[in-house]
Amino acid sequence: MQLHTGDPGEDGTSNAAGETTRQAATFGAASGGSMTTTANVTWTNVSTTETVSHWSAWDASSAGNCLWTGALTSSASLEAGDTFQITSLTLTLD
């Protein structure tokens, strides 16, 4: 998972957040055409003060292919050094 300050676009490369570290996400088995995270996705000690509003999901920790993109339910204002977390069972891919 990667954070973005705006719509990442189809290829996931637009509006990348200053916090460029991608975090691994664990998903449960697909059911009814969707799957949901089963563990928290956490960025600790973020590098940049900014507001994040979107995410992208990739098949690699760097480079790779963007598989999904989406918007957070609400934007999050981060200060350098903060921890940001998407809690388990709150991110669903359809």
Side-chain angles (χ1 to χ4, degrees):
M1 304 292 303
Q2 182 173 335
L3 298 174
H4 295 265
T5 59
D7 185 347
E10 275 188 47
D11 63 0
T13 59
S14 297
N15 300 305
E19 175 56 53
T20 58
T21 303
R22 293 182 189 166
Q23 298 297 331
T26 304
F27 292 88
S31 175
S34 65
M35 58 186 178
T36 303
T37 52
T38 58
N40 296 339
V41 182
T42 305
W43 288 261
T44 56
N45 196 25
V46 297
S47 63
T48 307
T49 298
E50 62 192 344
T51 299
V52 295
S53 60
H54 289 71
W55 55 268
S56 57
W58 296 76
D59 63 0
S61 60
S62 64
N65 301 294
C66 180
L67 304 175
W68 290 280
T69 64
L72 299 172
T73 302
S74 60
S75 297
S77 295
L78 304 177
E79 301 252 345
D82 282 353
T83 294
F84 177 73
Q85 186 173 79
I86 299 173
T87 56
S88 67
L89 306 176
T90 62
L91 178 65
T92 300
L93 304 177
D94 294 312

